[in-house]
Amino acid sequence: MPALDFTSANVGAAVDDDSYVLHVDHYWHAKQLHRNGQWITSPSIKAAGCSWRIHYYPNGISSACKDYISISVALEGLNSRVSEPIKACWSRFTLLDQAREPVAGHSVYTDVMESSKAGASHSCDLFIRKKFLEASEHLVDGCFIIQWDIFVDRAAPLSDDMLGTDVVFQVGGVEFSVHRSVLAARSSVFEAELSSTTREGSTAARDCIRIDDMLPEVFESLLHFAYSNSLPDMNGIQGPMIAEHLLVAADRFDMQELKLICEEKLGSNINEYTITNMLRFAEQHQCRLLRDACIEFLEDPPVLQAVMATDDDLLELVAKSCPVLLKELWADEDGSTQDELAMCF
């Protein structure tokens, strides 16, 4: 009795980006049959020039994930038509509703996998909380829907001596030589700025555009995405900071896909110490996915109470972003706390 059924959907225009819809059938049976750590394997899938298998863990990939559905992707090998090794790859898994629209706050990116060896894998350990899915309208007759997007990077590293570059950006004292056509294709803002520069003319061999209010490493990450449709490794201690700055840059240059990816990255790092800054940041830059992730983190009343007890700013932010949370908390509190909460409305 098959539990996984793959159908192609919305295949990306770039040769190394593919999108698939995954129908998970017999949810209840698979949950009962497979213990924590056990998985169901899909048939071989051809995507982004490679062969893959998806592993579905009905009761989580490890004991720490027993309350969640986990999912992972394993590389079988390169297709014969592709000769270049993989530099890096990563996936996005998104829970879809019955109309095949993304469910807010349930889109997760895997870590970057930097390997072309068969068997190499990357996973979403805490993909969907089982309790949430089972109580939602997204599980119908034991079936729910996931979208899988796979991104593979075979691009050469960026360098200042790339052939054919025709514009230079000077960012924080560092020069980046790039192709005008690449940035114009990625961003309407870049397209307008670069076409304006072309119309005005230039006596220099290559135009030079100066950006003073941006870190060089942030612009380098933006260029990496523009050329390869993937992010560089941002898993280090500076990763969240770079992701914040990169999201601001993506918003500034109207690179919506990059902005969404940064939102997902930031949303996966929310905790009791970062929640206030993340919620404020989401409101400031109109980040719907990041805002939804913050609200989901705070939906558990004990968590909301604990964070509010140590952070005075959170009360006003939650009242602005999601007043229904405070109203639910209001009903459970004593008179003095109710008076304090009432002041937010």
Side-chain angles (χ1 to χ4, degrees), residues 202-222:
S202 175
T203 57
R206 292 183 298 176
D207 294 317
C208 183
I209 298 175
R210 183 171 174 175
I211 300 176
D212 293 321
D213 52 348
M214 187 178 297
L215 295 171
E217 54 265 44
V218 172
F219 191 74
E220 185 176 16
S221 296
L222 185 146

Side-chain angles (χ1 to χ4, degrees), residues 3 10 15 85 91 166 222 302 310:
N10 301 322
V15 68
S91 292
D166 54 2
L222 185 146
T310 59

Side-chain angles (χ1 to χ4, degrees), residues 27 31 67-68 128-136:
Y27 169 80
K31 177 184 175 182
D67 295 328
Y68 288 81
I128 305 173
R129 186 183 288 273
K130 292 183 292 183
K131 184 178 180 180
F132 165 82
L133 180 65
E134 292 166 7
S136 74

Side-chain angles (χ1 to χ4, degrees), residues 118-178:
S121 65
H122 51 271
S123 65
C124 295
D125 295 352
L126 304 176
F127 178 37
I128 305 173
R129 186 183 288 273
K130 292 183 292 183
K131 184 178 180 180
F132 165 82
L133 180 65
E134 292 166 7
S136 74
E137 69 276 16
H138 312 307
L139 180 64
V140 177
D141 296 327
C143 177
F144 66 100
I145 310 170
I146 299 170
Q147 181 168 312
W148 171 51
D149 300 288
I150 178 71
F151 306 89
V152 173
D153 176 13
R154 296 190 181 89
L158 297 174
S159 63
D160 288 339
D161 58 352
M162 291 190 299
L163 296 176
T165 58
D166 54 2
V167 62
V168 174
F169 283 84
Q170 189 177 79
V171 184
V174 179
E175 290 191 352
F176 298 90
S177 299
V178 299

Side-chain angles (χ1 to χ4, degrees), residues 18-59:
D18 279 324
S19 180
Y20 280 77
V21 169
L22 163 63
H23 292 267
V24 181
D25 297 319
H26 310 292
Y27 169 80
W28 299 105
H29 180 76
K31 177 184 175 182
Q32 187 175 34
L33 188 64
H34 295 80
R35 297 190 304 273
N36 175 248
Q38 294 184 330
W39 67 89
I40 300 168
T41 302
S42 75
S44 181
I45 307 164
K46 305 295 184 183
C50 303
S51 298
W52 312 84
R53 287 188 186 272
I54 291 185
H55 303 311
Y56 167 71
Y57 298 78
N59 289 297

